């Protein structure tokens, strides 16, 4: 019999900006009752982002102090902004034998895989460049932000082959369904059919 501690997984949603990582991750996380680990970032919130829900928005000085104290498990710089995951947040959930999820770029996903090995399941979400660009415009992002994101598109797409699973995301419901089915084997929830 598999012990509960063997079932707890770190589910990492990765892929290019505009691939729908956040929407799919939140839907899947809710389906499984998983907690989201929220990253810390030094940039300002974008339209629709909520502090403490999407990111912990902090100053550059605060971030550097947390980094100096060794609080971050992983820390990356993207377009001049610092992004980090706090070790305590992950370790607490894992010690409670819970599965959790994060939304990270390929650098962060790779760092977590190196640290936690088979506990990490990387789910790569993607859409074509034009769709990604259209989604970001609909979100109301500034043109310079969209341009920066698109400049990373090819690099993020190259990471697809390194991930455990990849999903083309053009339909939120369908992608969520496919990922939920994929994760069932990892999370072993022993669902009972109540027809």
């Amino acid at each position: 019999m598999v012990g509960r501690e063997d079932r707890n997984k770190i589910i990492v949603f990765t892929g290019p900006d505009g691939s729908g990582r956040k929407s799919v991750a939140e839907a899947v996380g809710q389906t499984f009752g998983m907690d989201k680990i929220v990253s810390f970032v030094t940039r300002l919130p974008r339209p629709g982002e909520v502090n403490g829900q999407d990111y912990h928005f902090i100053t550059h000085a605060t971030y550097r102090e947390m980094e100096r104290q060794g609080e971050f498990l992983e820390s990356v710089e993207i377009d001049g902004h610092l992004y980090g995951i706090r070790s305590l947040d992950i370790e607490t959930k894992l010690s409670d034998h819970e599965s959790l999820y994060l939304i990270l770029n390929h650098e962060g996903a790779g760092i977590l895989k190196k640290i936690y090995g088979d506990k990490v399941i990387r789910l790569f979400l993607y859409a074509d460049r034009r769709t990604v660009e259209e989604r970001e415009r609909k979100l109301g992002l500034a043109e310079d932000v969209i341009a920066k994101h698109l400049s990373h598109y090819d690099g993020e797409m190259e990471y697809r082959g390194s991930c455990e699973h990849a999903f083309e995301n053009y339909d939120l419901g369908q992608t969520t369904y496919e990922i939920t089915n994929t994760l069932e084997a990892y999370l072993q929830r022993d669902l009972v059919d109540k027809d």
Side-chain angles (χ1 to χ4, degrees), residues 112-159:
L112 253 62
K113 187 67 176 179
K114 279 183 190 152
I115 295 170
Y116 291 104
D118 290 343
K119 279 200 178 302
V120 174
I121 310 302
R122 293 164 297 175
L123 306 175
F124 188 91
L125 275 72
Y126 65 99
D128 65 84
R129 184 186 291 268
R130 187 178 53 78
T131 300
V132 162
E133 188 173 355
E134 286 172 5
R135 286 175 180 169
E136 297 217 307
R137 283 217 171 82
K138 282 182 186 169
L139 285 174
L141 298 185
E143 287 300 316
D144 64 320
V145 171
I146 294 171
K148 281 180 184 173
H149 288 175
L150 289 174
S151 74
H152 299 295
Y153 180 85
D154 292 334
E156 290 290 335
M157 286 299 291
E158 286 173 12
Y159 191 62

Side-chain angles (χ1 to χ4, degrees), residues 180-192:
T180 300
N181 283 343
T182 299
L183 290 180
E184 282 291 347
Y186 291 104
L187 300 176
Q188 302 172 13
R189 293 188 307 164
D190 301 323
L191 294 180
V192 176

Side-chain angles (χ1 to χ4, degrees), residues 11-30:
I11 310 302
V12 178
F13 292 84
T14 190
D17 284 297
S19 62
R21 298 174 303 183
K22 177 184 168 189
S23 300
V24 172
E26 288 175 355
V28 171
Q30 191 170 24

